[in-house]
Amino acid sequence: MSRIEIDPHDACARVEAGAITGSVQEAAARHGLMYPPDPASLYMSTIGGNIACNAGGISCLKYGVTADYILGLTVVRADGSILKLGGATRKRASGYRLTHLFIGSEGTLGIVTEATLKLIPLPPHRATAFITFPSVESAADAVANLMAAGHLPCALELMDEGALRLVRHLLPAVLQPGVGAALLVEQDGPLAEVAEEELFGIIQVLGGLENRIAQSRAERDRLWEARRSFGKVVMEGRRNYFSEDIAVPLSRIPEMVRRLRQLSDSTGVEIALVGHAGDGNLHPNILFGDDQRNRAGQVAAQILRDAVELGGTISAEHGLGALKRDFASTEHPGAALELMKGIKDLLDPNGILNPGKIFPTGPADDEFLSRQPGWGQGHHELGL
Ligand SMILES: Cc1cc2nc3c(=O)[nH]c(=O)nc-3n(C[C@H](O)[C@H](O)[C@H](O)COP(=O)(O)OP(=O)(O)OC[C@H]3O[C@@H](n4cnc5c(N)ncnc54)[C@H](O)[C@@H]3O)c2cc1C
């Protein structure tokens, strides 16, 4: 279930659903091609899982998410029949785009067994910078300004003070006291000078306290290791955590980070923030002790409500699963959720495919975490 075939002439990959995302990228790169969707979990997540959750990642700012790279799918339906959708063509306007019905459906409509993925030329050069800011609010303002100024870097990652503290041992010496947040920004291009010149322009617009441009491949890799290892560091930490996955329109990022800061201050629950800031996707990580369980649930619920209130989504790239299903109706009140239920009933009338996911089974309230099986007993890792 993990076969990978690269077709350089059609610039596509035919892969089985169990193929590891990072292996697909490496196979494509050997032909000078790129499969851009790159969740931080790329060395453990599968293409089937990425399709089920419409995975995003660091490069999605410039290149788009998994849905933008699916040309064809083979799906096993609930009745055991096999559905072949799409193919290797890059355009198709003949009827409903059924491939997209299955992308992001979290395995509730069918099981993906094979996919044809679009590949693009691999940009050969990259330039990377680490920029510090006095506060997370000032970093968020800088992100909104950058996009308004017409720049499109290939990565723009945000880490607040709490997140920086957790991965400090992996970061450059530029991290001085007084730093409240940092942006990791990267631009790619056909020539090293082009990537560098664009990066300089981006740094000028972003401003900040100090910046460090990676001088070597090794330095660039170290910066990315610090960002990518954040999830692992949190998982290995002593405290319970719940990782959110919201997105808001770019202009509302400053307001969302202000609300997160106020929420943390008023409840005493620590929130360490990382995010694919360039596409408005924020991962507030709620870190809490056993005695803070109730408040952690309230904080998590408030973050979901705030994201929707600011015109955003309660899940940008991880899906709802069973964990956030009760908030589905907050984002999709009325007809849209009913239509989703109708599609589910049509394709899976006996409800055998991933039952209990996506659709609410309880109210969207502060108790949604308390209703999770096992909540309240021992160390908890939820989300990501
Ligand atoms: C440390 C860490 C970092 C992460 N970073 C990111 C990130 O940057 N961006 C991002 O988008 N996600 C991220 N994730 C979340 C997760 O890795 C992704 O959502 C990924 O797409 C899930 O793929 P998987 O193979 O792990 O799927 P699983 O976790 O095994 O499954 C996820 C869902 O997909 C369904 N599913 C799996 N395979 C199929 C199939 N073949 N057909 C139908 N349904 C299927 C499962 O039933 C389940 O509901 C991260 C996770 C971790 C642990």
Side-chain angles (χ1 to χ4, degrees), residues 1 17-18 38-42 44-58 105-108 110-113 227-228 231-232 235 276 281 283 317-319 321 354 357 383-384:
M1 282 300 286
D38 58 347
S41 55
L42 85 166
M44 52 183 156
S45 72
T46 61
I47 291 294
N50 292 175
I51 292 169
C53 298
N54 192 15
I58 285 157
S105 69
E106 301 187 39
T108 61
I111 297 168
V112 174
T113 55
R227 168 63 188 94
R228 287 191 193 277
K232 195 163 160 267
M235 280 193 253
H276 313 302
N281 182 188
H283 295 305
E317 55 179 22
H318 295 172
N354 263 352
K357 297 211 170 165
L384 268 176

Side-chain angles (χ1 to χ4, degrees), residues 6-345:
I6 305 297
D7 181 339
H9 300 291
D10 283 339
C12 71
R14 293 185 187 84
V15 304
E16 290 180 327
I20 298 296
T21 318
S23 305
V24 175
Q25 290 191 341
E26 286 166 8
R30 285 196 285 277
H31 294 267
L33 294 167
M34 178 187 189
Y35 176 66
D38 58 347
S41 55
L42 85 166
Y43 290 110
M44 52 183 156
S45 72
T46 61
I47 291 294
N50 292 175
I51 292 169
C53 298
N54 192 15
I58 285 157
S59 303
C60 296
L61 164 61
K62 186 168 181 179
Y63 293 106
V65 295
T66 301
D68 300 311
Y69 291 87
I70 306 300
L71 301 176
L73 285 181
T74 302
V75 180
V76 177
R77 298 179 59 184
D79 63 6
S81 62
I82 292 172
L83 191 60
K84 287 196 179 282
L85 301 168
T89 59
R90 293 169 106 79
K91 290 170 102 177
R92 194 176 293 266
S94 56
Y96 298 154
R97 203 169 185 181
L98 292 180
T99 43
H100 277 225
L101 192 57
F102 291 94
I103 300 164
S105 69
E106 301 187 39
T108 61
L109 300 180
I111 297 168
V112 174
T113 55
E114 288 181 352
T116 305
L117 312 175
K118 181 168 82 175
L119 304 177
I120 59 173
L122 181 68
H125 297 283
R126 285 168 188 271
T128 311
F130 183 82
I131 308 172
T132 57
F133 291 84
S135 65
V136 67
E137 287 85 354
S138 57
D141 285 335
V143 171
N145 291 342
L146 181 74
M147 305 312 272
H151 288 279
L152 186 59
C154 69
L156 184 54
E157 295 290 306
L158 169 72
M159 287 183 271
D160 79 350
E161 194 181 3
L164 290 170
R165 218 179 301 125
L166 288 168
V167 293
R168 188 173 210 117
H169 55 292
L170 297 164
L171 285 166
V174 71
L175 197 58
Q176 302 297 329
V179 167
L183 291 172
L184 183 52
V185 59
E186 188 164 276
Q187 185 56 293
D188 57 14
L191 298 168
E193 306 83 71
V194 173
E196 280 160 20
E197 199 177 311
E198 284 191 29
L199 183 71
F200 292 146
I202 288 168
I203 292 171
Q204 266 184 350
V205 178
L206 287 173
L209 291 172
E210 283 188 83
N211 64 69
R212 166 82 199 167
I213 297 174
Q215 299 298 311
S216 64
R217 173 77 191 258
E219 191 179 352
R220 173 181 173 256
D221 289 349
R222 271 201 307 280
L223 286 171
W224 280 114
E225 192 198 340
R227 168 63 188 94
R228 287 191 193 277
S229 64
F230 173 80
K232 195 163 160 267
V233 172
V234 169
M235 280 193 253
E236 289 169 356
R238 279 181 300 110
R239 280 179 294 171
N240 309 301
Y241 74 87
F242 178 80
S243 179
E244 295 268 24
D245 170 39
I246 56 167
V248 293
L250 298 177
S251 63
R252 308 316 302 272
I253 302 174
E255 173 62 15
M256 190 67 220
V257 301
R258 267 187 277 279
R259 290 188 186 198
L260 290 170
R261 194 56 46 227
Q262 279 164 8
L263 194 56
S264 175
D265 289 347
S266 64
T267 58
V269 174
E270 188 177 342
I271 300 174
L273 180 67
V274 294
H276 313 302
D279 38 33
N281 182 188
L282 303 174
H283 295 305
N285 287 265
I286 304 166
L287 308 171
F288 57 99
D290 284 337
D291 56 336
Q292 291 180 307
R293 276 174 198 282
N294 280 346
R295 259 178 292 158
Q298 288 160 12
V299 167
Q302 188 56 43
I303 292 173
L304 298 179
R305 284 191 285 265
D306 281 343
V308 173
E309 196 182 299
L310 294 178
T313 175
I314 61 172
S315 179
E317 55 179 22
H318 295 172
L320 300 177
L323 201 58
K324 285 190 278 188
R325 64 187 173 200
D326 290 345
F327 274 84
S329 51
T330 309
E331 184 176 335
H332 308 290
L337 198 59
E338 282 311 308
L339 186 56
M340 288 187 214
K341 276 188 193 148
I343 292 169
K344 168 74 174 162
D345 291 343

